[in-house]
């Protein structure tokens, strides 16, 4: 385990294994703290060259060698070997100088630390309404919450900077330095890592939870919530890979209000209390969820490993938007099966779940573990274990208008059925992968971005994914749009790049 941490440290920082072990040992192998300490100290070694001890250390020099007579002929004077490493105090002093740049060396023993400079803080910022007591109270509360946020800003714990939000005159490098508390200025590698793991400030909303719900109701946007734990490296990978994907960013901006909170952020307290009781368990991270702003219902969850890939996450977002709607006239899917009760590792239980299990055991009941973090969206997809008279039946997720009787020369009938599709070579610049959902599963195919939408219909008519559906008329829907009206539109212009298409068979 320690070797893996050392390898990960050297891969990210570019240091030697010996130097990595020094920083990891001093932080008890907490890799995030070790890397932050490494970049703040400029990668300096924590142990120096062996120094010759002074006379005050109690070790005699050559002039004080004592010769003791013995019965042997060996009259060689005996020396006390000097230590090969500095003592703990010297190491602590040198580490203090490296990290904080303050006095502490042998040459500065008589120096006196300069008095702390006087500082002023703005309790209520410019533009606040001082005449309204409610607004002033809200501004003061916001400042106090910001001050109460634990943890020092760093590369892996970047804080909100006003220049990032308001687009001030500061350069991007200066804004990054403000967000990291100056840690990004330690070296070019530090700046590169800070930019790489920078949170997605450009798509994040600063609204508190209750205000975000009201905003979602007014704008008909879902709430997309991401709870971060700075000690879990997968959360940092989300900022590096998932939230920086342009397709994900465009979809989130258009359909969601994105809220990213640290688990220690006071603004996240309401969400953690009602939706994420297992926030103290590291195995539940990364945590992403979609919440209905009207009802407060948690609609979909991604929680814990394995880490979702950007392409898969984008497809799942598009599929969710196809199946669910905030339109009051549309009926959303409902749960069609019961939640599976799965055994939960005791290490992943919260304190309350452990107490419940202990009480059940003391009463002689079977020790059943608490509920796992299960995706509510999965409960709407099957009816296998729903029993009794109220067994759910398959229903259409979205109420669609009844199609008019097909004319003899309908657009669907005019599409040829003898032109199978051959996938082009993979090229991100000219091709895209499209996911097709049908009643029995899904299939993914690659198309050219310049292909017309009709090419999809030709492929499905010539090579249907379900053999028993050959010759059956079908509809293709994406983001609530029927693609039969866009046969001549290119796949790129139709917005199908990395998208999801729902196949619905029209059977009498």
């Amino acid at each position: 385990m320690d070797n893996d941490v050392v390898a990960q440290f050297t891969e990210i920082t570019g240091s030697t294994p010996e130097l990595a072990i020094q920083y990891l040992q001093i932080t008890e192998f907490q890799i995030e703290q070790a890397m932050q300490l490494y970049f703040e100290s400029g990668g300096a070694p924590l142990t120096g060259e062996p120094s010759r001890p002074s006379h005050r250390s109690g070790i005699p020099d050559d002039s004080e060698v004592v010769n003791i007579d013995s019965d042997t002929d060996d009259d060689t004077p005996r020396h006390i070997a000097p230590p090969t490493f500095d003592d703990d105090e010297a190491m602590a002093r040198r580490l203090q100088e490296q990290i904080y740049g303050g006095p502490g060396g042998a040459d500065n023993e008589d120096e006196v630390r300069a008095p702390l400079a006087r500082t002023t803080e703005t309790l209520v910022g410019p533009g606040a309404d001082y005449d309204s007591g409610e607004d002033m109270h809200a501004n003061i509360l916001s400042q106090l919450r910001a001050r109460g946020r634990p943890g020092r800003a760093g590369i892996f714990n970047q804080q909100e900077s006003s220049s990032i939000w308001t687009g001030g005159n500061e350069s991007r490098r200066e804004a990054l330095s403000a967000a990291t508390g100056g840690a990004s200025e330690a070296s070019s590698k530090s700046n590169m890592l800070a930019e790489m793991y920078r949170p997605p400030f450009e798509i994040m909303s600063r609204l508190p939870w209750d205000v975000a719900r009201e905003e979602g109701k007014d704008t008909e946007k879902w709430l997309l919530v991401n709870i971060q734990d700075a000690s879990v490296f997968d959360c940092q990978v989300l900022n590096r890979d998932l939230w920086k994907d342009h397709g994900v960013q465009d979809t989130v901006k258009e359909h969601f209000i994105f809220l990213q909170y640290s688990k220690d952020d006071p603004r996240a307290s309401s969400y953690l209390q009602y939706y994420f009781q297992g926030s103290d368990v590291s195995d539940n991270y990364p945590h992403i969820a979609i919440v209905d702003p009207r009802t407060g219902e948690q609609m979909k969850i991604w929680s814990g490993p394995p880490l979702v890939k950007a392409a898969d996450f984008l497809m799942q977002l598009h599929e969710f938007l196809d199946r669910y709607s905030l339109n009051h006239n549309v009926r959303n899917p409902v749960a069609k099966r019961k939640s599976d009760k799965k055994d939960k590792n005791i290490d992943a239980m919260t304190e309350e779940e452990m107490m419940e299990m202990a009480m059940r055991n003391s009463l002689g009941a079977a020790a059943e573990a608490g509920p796992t973090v299960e995706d509510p969206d999965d409960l709407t997809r099957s009816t296998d274990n729903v029993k009794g008279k109220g067994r759910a039946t398959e229903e259409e997720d979205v109420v669609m208008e009844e199609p008019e009787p097909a004319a003899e020369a309908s657009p669907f009938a005019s599409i040829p059925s003898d032109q199978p599709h051959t996938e082009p070579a993979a090229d991100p610049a000219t091709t895209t992968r499209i996911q097709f959902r049908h009643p029995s599963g899904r299939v993914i195919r690659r198309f050219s971005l310049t292909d017309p939408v009709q090419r999809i219909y030709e492929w499905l008519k010539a090579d249907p994914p379900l053999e028993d559906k050959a010759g059956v008329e079908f509809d293709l829907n994406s983001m609530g749009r029927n693609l039969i009206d866009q046969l001549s539109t290119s796949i790129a212009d139709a917005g199908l790049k990395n998208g999801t298409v729902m196949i619905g068979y029209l059977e009498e």
Side-chain angles (χ1 to χ4, degrees):
M1 179 62 181
D2 292 347
N3 293 335
D4 295 339
V5 177
V6 172
Q8 188 176 1
F9 185 96
T10 56
E11 180 181 358
I12 295 176
T13 61
S15 65
T16 62
E18 293 77 10
L19 190 59
I21 292 175
Q22 294 178 19
Y23 281 91
L24 289 169
Q25 285 179 341
I26 203 170
T27 59
E28 297 182 352
F29 280 82
Q30 297 294 325
I31 186 170
E32 291 81 8
Q33 298 179 12
M35 285 192 293
Q36 185 166 344
L37 179 62
Y38 175 85
F39 290 115
E40 289 177 351
S41 60
L46 301 183
T47 57
E49 294 296 331
S51 60
R52 185 179 182 85
S54 64
H55 179 70
R56 292 177 298 172
S57 63
I59 302 175
D61 55 20
D62 293 340
S63 62
E64 297 177 332
V65 174
V66 178
N67 297 326
I68 302 176
D69 295 335
S70 65
D71 295 336
T72 64
D73 296 334
D74 186 7
D75 295 333
T76 304
R78 299 180 180 180
H79 297 263
I80 299 177
T84 57
F85 296 98
D86 295 344
D87 55 20
D88 294 342
E89 181 180 357
M91 180 184 294
R93 289 179 182 274
R94 183 168 56 257
L95 185 59
Q96 180 191 31
E97 288 182 345
Q98 292 171 354
I99 297 178
Y100 301 105
D107 298 335
N108 299 325
E109 290 182 355
D110 298 332
E111 293 185 7
V112 178
R113 178 181 58 80
L116 296 176
R118 184 176 61 180
T119 59
T120 58
E121 298 183 5
T122 303
L123 190 58
V124 180
D129 186 2
Y130 291 91
D131 296 331
S132 174
E134 295 182 359
D135 290 344
M136 176 175 288
H137 177 74
N139 285 321
I140 294 175
L141 184 60
S142 176
Q143 290 287 338
L144 293 177
R145 284 176 175 174
R147 297 181 190 183
R149 182 175 301 172
R152 184 175 59 175
I155 293 176
F156 299 103
N157 188 30
Q158 299 187 29
Q159 307 291 346
E160 300 173 4
S161 173
S162 59
S163 60
I164 293 177
W165 294 110
T166 61
N169 296 326
E170 294 178 299
S171 66
R172 187 175 184 86
R173 188 182 185 93
E174 292 172 341
L176 198 61
S177 176
T180 60
S184 62
E185 297 295 325
S187 64
S188 59
K189 182 179 286 289
S190 300
N191 187 270
M192 178 192 68
L193 288 175
E195 178 65 34
M196 184 182 300
Y197 292 100
R198 183 177 65 88
F201 294 116
E202 58 274 7
I203 62 174
M204 286 168 52
S205 172
R206 300 178 66 189
L207 299 175
W209 175 252
D210 295 335
V211 180
R213 282 193 59 183
E214 295 298 327
E215 180 73 13
K217 295 177 186 178
D218 297 337
T219 59
E220 292 189 356
K221 288 187 176 182
W222 302 93
L223 302 182
L224 183 63
V225 186
N226 175 212
I227 304 297
Q228 294 255 326
D229 184 349
S231 64
V232 178
F233 192 69
D234 280 350
C235 293
Q236 310 295 343
V237 176
L238 279 187
N239 291 338
R240 184 191 68 186
D241 298 338
L242 183 63
W243 303 128
K244 283 187 172 59
D245 184 85
H246 295 296
V248 172
Q249 287 189 350
D250 293 341
T251 302
V252 170
K253 288 179 181 178
E254 184 176 358
H255 300 283
F256 297 91
I257 295 177
F258 180 58
L259 304 169
Q260 186 184 83
Y261 299 133
S262 169
K263 70 173 185 178
D264 300 321
D265 193 330
R267 295 175 299 174
S269 58
S270 297
Y271 181 86
L272 298 180
Q273 179 181 359
Y274 296 110
Y275 299 98
F276 193 21
Q277 289 83 8
S279 59
D280 293 333
V281 181
S282 60
D283 289 341
N284 290 336
Y285 291 93
H287 178 87
I288 308 172
I290 299 177
V291 177
D292 189 333
R294 304 167 302 176
T295 63
E297 180 183 1
Q298 204 172 39
M299 309 297 293
K300 189 170 181 63
I301 299 175
W302 297 264
S303 189
L307 190 65
V308 62
K309 303 297 183 182
D312 295 336
F313 183 75
L314 184 60
M315 287 185 178
Q316 293 176 31
L317 282 185
H318 286 181
E319 180 186 355
F320 175 86
L321 294 172
D322 284 334
R323 301 186 70 232
Y324 297 87
S325 174
L326 290 175
N327 190 331
H328 295 283
N329 298 324
V330 176
R331 181 181 179 183
N332 287 326
V334 296
K336 298 177 181 178
R337 63 180 178 88
K338 297 178 181 178
S339 176
D340 296 331
K341 296 292 184 180
K342 300 179 181 179
D343 292 337
K344 190 173 184 180
N345 192 321
I346 191 171
D347 294 332
M349 290 184 181
T350 63
E351 184 177 354
E352 293 180 356
E353 292 171 349
M354 291 181 182
M355 292 182 63
E356 291 179 1
M357 185 183 70
M359 292 178 63
R360 287 194 298 267
N361 291 341
S362 64
L363 296 175
E368 297 180 358
T372 58
V373 180
E374 189 170 12
D375 185 4
D377 184 45
D378 289 341
L379 302 180
T380 67
R381 299 179 181 274
S382 175
T383 60
D384 293 340
N385 61 348
V386 177
K387 302 178 181 179
K389 297 181 180 179
R391 184 184 179 105
T393 58
E394 293 289 341
E395 297 177 354
E396 291 292 334
D397 293 338
V398 180
V399 178
M400 306 295 294
E401 296 182 358
E402 291 293 334
E404 298 180 358
E408 294 182 359
S410 65
F412 183 86
S414 62
I415 299 174
S417 59
D418 57 351
Q419 298 185 15
H421 175 64
T422 301
E423 291 187 330
D427 184 0
T430 60
T431 63
T432 182
R433 296 167 72 244
I434 302 177
Q435 176 182 231
F436 297 89
R437 285 279 184 179
H438 53 79
S440 299
R442 68 172 183 171
V443 62
I444 299 176
R445 287 291 183 272
R446 184 182 296 109
F447 290 87
S448 174
L449 291 174
T450 58
D451 284 342
V453 174
Q454 180 173 329
R455 190 74 193 90
I456 300 177
Y457 281 88
E458 294 173 352
W459 160 62
L460 289 173
K461 293 184 73 172
D463 186 18
L466 301 177
E467 295 181 358
D468 58 338
K469 300 297 183 181
V472 178
E473 186 175 353
F474 56 85
D475 276 342
L476 298 182
N477 290 276
S478 176
M479 306 291 287
R481 297 175 289 113
N482 195 332
L483 298 182
I484 196 67
D485 300 325
Q486 298 180 311
L487 293 178
S488 59
T489 306
S490 67
I491 289 178
D493 294 339
L496 299 180
K497 183 177 181 180
N498 294 325
T500 300
V501 176
M502 310 296 292
I503 305 175
Y505 290 97
L506 307 178
E507 297 179 297
E508 297 182 357

